[in-house]
């Protein structure tokens, strides 16, 4: 199928060509005709499938040209990074129209955003929080909204946006076209669809939570934090293959520690993305990473959504996410639309449980690769080992609420200086 077959007009076909899209992706083939026909739609599609253009293109064609001053279309997304990402795709695809848009997100003062609203826009791309904040100042005229998109709905629900979404629905006209996109379709997303959409068509482009086939996934059993650092360094030294790498970590403290360690290793500049970083620092980091000035970006999950980085060579999961859908989102940074990519995960023994759950979710077994022999394994420090055992206890309790937690009674038995086996677990004392 071609974009011409989708009945898009010349100005969009030109913009599509300049964006470098040759053929519509599956979600585009399925969504564009339905949106053009005015239907409500639930699209199950993860990032990397081309879902943003799948709703932007038909909406642009429906909106046709700038009318103003009141906005006619509202696109809601969970994070400011995603607002910026959608805004960029919008800019690219609307270049041959005079349709005006505004990106509304927090972290900066609302003054400039309000000025643009007053000047008149057709489309608002916003996080729910900032939309309501500016709405409360009476700077958004809600009467003309005819199209609403809720993107990454599962993420919105995880982030607790249900009350805000409901509030927004109350403020805008009932009669409108609503489109909902989500990487997965859990019950809470179904609730949104049932409450807000009118006889929606449901389209799905890949089975629920399945990573794109273009991503090769590998798993290393790595006993401890130190060994994970050494393995990470081992990979990053190979700058020919690992030429644009996102390293995902559990927390901003981890991000800072790992970036600091890497900075001392002569790998070039290392940047970080996490919630403590200011808006400008984050945008600069993303731009420099995209531009190729920075090869390695260390990021937490919060910042992982909505960053569109084409041709990331590798995603490295320094830890296994305990929020299992984050695995799919993390590795979705590589192998994006028609490109191949590699996702490598580091797992210590307390994370095996989570890998089991992830494999169940993605309905795949991730290939395990032995640790490279050059990596010298050090003993797991006592505190870290205790944390790992505590985590195992927690998992056992999750599986069996009656489980009493063996670790707390026995923890005294492990001696700091004990010998470790290949996995970094202290060897048992012979009786
Ligand atoms: P998304 O799923 O919206 O996050 O899009 C992922 C990436 O795919 C973005 O970099 C888009 O520019 C790109 N893309 C979207 N549609 C196409 C297409 N038809 N052909 C090639 N790339 C595309």
């Amino acid at each position: 199928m071609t974009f011409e077959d989708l009945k898009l007009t010349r100005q969009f076909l030109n913009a599509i060509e300049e964006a470098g899209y040759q053929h519509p992706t599956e979600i585009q083939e399925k969504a564009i005709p339905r949106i053009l026909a005015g239907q409500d739609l639930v699209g199950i599609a993860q990032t990397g499938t081309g879902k943003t253009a799948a709703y932007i293109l038909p909406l642009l064609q429906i909106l046709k040209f700038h009318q103003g001053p009141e906005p006619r279309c509202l696109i809601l997304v969970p994070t400011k990074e995603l607002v910026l990402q959608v805004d960029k795709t919008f800019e690219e695809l609307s270049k041959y129209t005079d349709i005006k848009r505004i990106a509304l997100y927090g972290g900066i003062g609302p003054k400039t955003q309000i000025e643009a609203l007053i000047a008149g826009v057709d489309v608002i791309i916003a996080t729910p929080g900032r939309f309501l904040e500016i709405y409360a100042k009476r700077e958004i005229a809600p009467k003309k909204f005819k199209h609403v998109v809720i993107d990454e709905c599962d993420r919105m629900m995880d982030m607790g946006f249900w009350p805000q979404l409901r509030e927004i629905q109350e403020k805008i006209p009932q009669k409108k076209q609503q489109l909902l996109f989500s990487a997965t379709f859990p019950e809470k997303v179904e609730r949104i669809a049932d409450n807000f959409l009118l006889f929606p068509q449901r389209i799905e482009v890949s089975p629920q939570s399945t990573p794109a086939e273009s991503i090769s996934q590998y798993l290393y059993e790595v006993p401890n934090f130190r060994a994970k650092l050494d393995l990470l360094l081992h990979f990053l030294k190979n700058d020919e293959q690992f030429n644009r790498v996102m390293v995902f970590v559990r927390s901003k403290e981890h991000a800072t520690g790992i970036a600091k360690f890497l900075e001392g290793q002569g790998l070039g500049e290392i940047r970080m993305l996490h919630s403590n970083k200011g808006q400008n620092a984050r945008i600069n980091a993303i731009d420099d990473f995209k531009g190729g000035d920075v090869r390695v970006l260390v990021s937490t999950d919060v910042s992982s959504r909505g960053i569109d980085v084409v041709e990331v060579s590798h995603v490295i999961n320094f830890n296994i996410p305990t929020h299992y859908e984050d695995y799919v989102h993390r590795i979705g940074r590589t192998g994006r639309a028609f490109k191949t990519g590699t996702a490598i995960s580091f797992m210590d023994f307390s994370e095996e449980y989570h890998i089991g759950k992830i494999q169940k979710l993605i309905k795949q077994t991730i290939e395990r690769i032995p640790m490279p022999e050059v990596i010298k394994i050090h003993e797991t420090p006592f505190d870290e080992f205790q944390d790992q055992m505590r985590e195992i206890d927690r998992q056992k309790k999750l599986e069996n609420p009656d489980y009493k937690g063996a670790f707390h009674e026995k923890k005294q038995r492990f001696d700091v200086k004990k010998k470790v086996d290949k996995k970094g677990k202290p060897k048992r004392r012979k009786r």
Side-chain angles (χ1 to χ4, degrees):
M1 193 181 266
T2 64
F3 282 105
E4 278 88 348
D5 297 332
L6 292 171
K7 307 219 163 37
L8 292 170
T9 50
R10 182 44 52 198
Q11 77 237 60
F12 300 116
L13 295 176
N14 290 345
I16 287 167
E17 201 180 323
E18 282 171 36
Y21 307 173
Q22 288 177 344
H23 303 282
T25 61
E26 196 185 344
I27 186 82
Q28 290 161 0
E29 279 183 18
K30 290 182 174 165
I32 291 174
R34 291 179 167 96
I35 299 175
L36 285 175
Q39 292 172 352
D40 278 10
L41 191 79
V42 172
I44 316 292
Q46 58 189 79
T47 6
T49 53
K51 59 156 171 87
T52 318
Y55 63 78
I56 286 180
L57 282 167
L59 287 175
L60 277 170
Q61 184 149 314
I62 296 171
L63 296 169
K64 267 199 189 125
F65 39 75
H66 175 56
Q67 279 182 10
E70 294 175 37
R72 290 174 288 153
C73 173
L74 172 63
I75 300 172
L76 292 166
V77 300
T79 63
K80 43 189 155 183
E81 277 79 15
L82 200 59
V83 170
L84 293 171
Q85 169 53 36
V86 172
D87 187 60
K88 198 179 137 247
T89 307
F90 206 102
E91 182 182 16
E92 223 169 36
L93 298 175
S94 67
K95 69 202 277 194
Y96 296 114
T97 73
D98 63 350
I99 292 174
K100 292 198 167 41
R101 67 186 193 284
I102 175 74
L104 304 181
Y105 51 88
I108 51 169
K111 193 166 163 269
T112 339
Q113 296 173 356
I114 291 176
E115 278 165 12
L117 278 166
I118 293 170
V121 297
D122 303 283
V123 179
I124 294 180
I125 306 163
T127 54
R130 179 48 73 104
F131 178 87
L132 285 170
E133 191 189 325
I134 298 186
Y135 182 89
K137 294 183 197 293
R138 298 177 178 275
E139 302 291 1
I140 296 174
K143 294 225 175 67
K144 293 248 170 87
F145 280 118
K146 292 238 163 55
H147 313 272
V148 175
V149 181
I150 303 174
D151 199 356
E152 305 228 346
C153 189
D154 48 355
R155 187 63 164 188
M156 292 234 204
M157 292 297 99
D158 290 348
M159 290 169 80
F161 280 138
W162 163 249
Q164 283 93 331
L165 288 180
R166 214 177 35 194
E167 205 183 328
I168 293 171
Q169 292 289 332
E170 283 163 9
K171 302 197 183 315
I172 54 185
Q174 265 196 344
K175 201 164 165 277
K176 59 189 175 287
Q177 179 181 34
Q178 288 233 76
L179 313 170
L180 183 155
F181 287 84
S182 193
T184 57
F185 199 64
E187 230 171 84
K188 45 201 173 186
V189 175
E190 208 171 332
R191 182 159 71 132
I192 293 273
D194 287 349
N195 275 277
F196 301 155
L197 277 64
L198 198 65
F199 306 116
Q201 287 254 347
R202 183 173 149 174
I203 54 177
E204 195 163 343
V205 293
S206 55
Q208 202 167 350
S209 296
T210 307
E213 272 171 27
S214 53
I215 307 171
S216 314
Q217 303 170 64
Y218 303 108
L219 183 65
Y220 287 80
E221 292 176 44
V222 195
N224 51 46
F225 191 80
R226 169 79 191 271
K228 286 187 174 187
L229 282 180
D230 290 341
L231 185 60
L232 178 62
L233 184 61
H234 170 78
F235 286 134
L236 293 182
K237 279 184 175 162
N238 177 354
D239 57 2
E240 224 165 81
Q241 269 183 29
F242 287 71
N243 53 43
R244 199 167 300 174
V245 187
M246 277 195 87
V247 180
F248 281 101
V249 299
R250 175 180 301 146
S251 62
K252 48 182 177 272
E253 290 76 21
H254 265 194
T256 312
I258 291 165
K260 211 173 237 167
F261 167 80
L262 293 176
E263 267 160 15
Q265 305 293 333
L267 299 165
E269 202 180 343
I270 309 287
R271 292 282 186 86
M272 276 185 284
L273 277 189
H274 61 63
S275 53
N276 269 13
K277 288 266 161 196
Q279 177 70 13
N280 284 346
R282 286 208 249 174
I283 295 172
N284 288 345
I286 294 167
D287 282 350
D288 291 348
F289 186 59
K290 276 187 190 169
D293 295 335
V294 170
R295 180 169 66 101
V296 181
L297 197 59
V298 180
S299 178
T300 58
D301 286 309
V302 185
S303 313
S304 78
R305 286 276 183 133
I307 305 166
D308 174 46
V309 184
V310 190
E311 288 183 281
V312 170
S313 66
H314 293 75
V315 165
I316 297 183
N317 292 315
F318 194 86
N319 74 293
I320 307 301
T322 50
H323 198 156
Y324 305 126
E325 277 149 20
D326 279 340
Y327 178 82
V328 184
H329 292 292
R330 285 183 180 192
I331 75 169
R333 305 291 114 205
T334 185
R336 290 164 81 75
F338 308 121
K339 303 251 162 48
T340 57
T342 306
I344 299 174
S345 300
F346 298 174
M347 172 191 79
D348 71 34
F349 75 95
S350 71
E351 296 175 295
E352 177 99 48
Y353 173 86
H354 304 303
I355 277 292
K357 299 273 182 192
I358 287 166
Q359 294 188 141
K360 221 165 158 189
L361 176 79
I362 63 174
K363 300 188 187 82
Q364 288 173 24
T365 305
I366 306 169
E367 187 181 343
R368 294 188 185 217
I369 310 272
M371 279 284 275
E373 298 214 335
V374 291
I375 310 279
K376 191 165 170 268
I377 302 296
H378 297 268
E379 182 179 337
T380 305
F382 183 61
D383 283 353
E384 189 181 352
F385 182 67
Q386 272 196 322
D387 287 344
Q388 290 172 334
M389 290 306 285
R390 251 188 225 113
E391 170 59 17
I392 298 262
D393 250 18
R394 194 186 68 82
Q395 295 159 4
K396 285 189 175 156
K397 275 184 203 148
L398 281 177
E399 294 298 309
N400 172 13
D402 295 333
Y403 179 73
K404 291 283 181 292
F407 168 62
H408 294 290
E409 291 125 53
K410 290 183 189 163
K411 67 182 173 194
Q412 303 302 341
R413 284 178 42 201
F414 298 109
D415 181 345
V416 186
K417 293 204 171 62
K418 271 195 173 146
K419 292 232 157 49
V420 288
D421 65 14
K422 272 200 304 209
K423 291 187 173 176
K425 292 184 198 173
K427 281 184 176 161
R428 279 178 172 253
R429 193 184 288 158
K430 286 200 182 102
R431 295 201 180 238

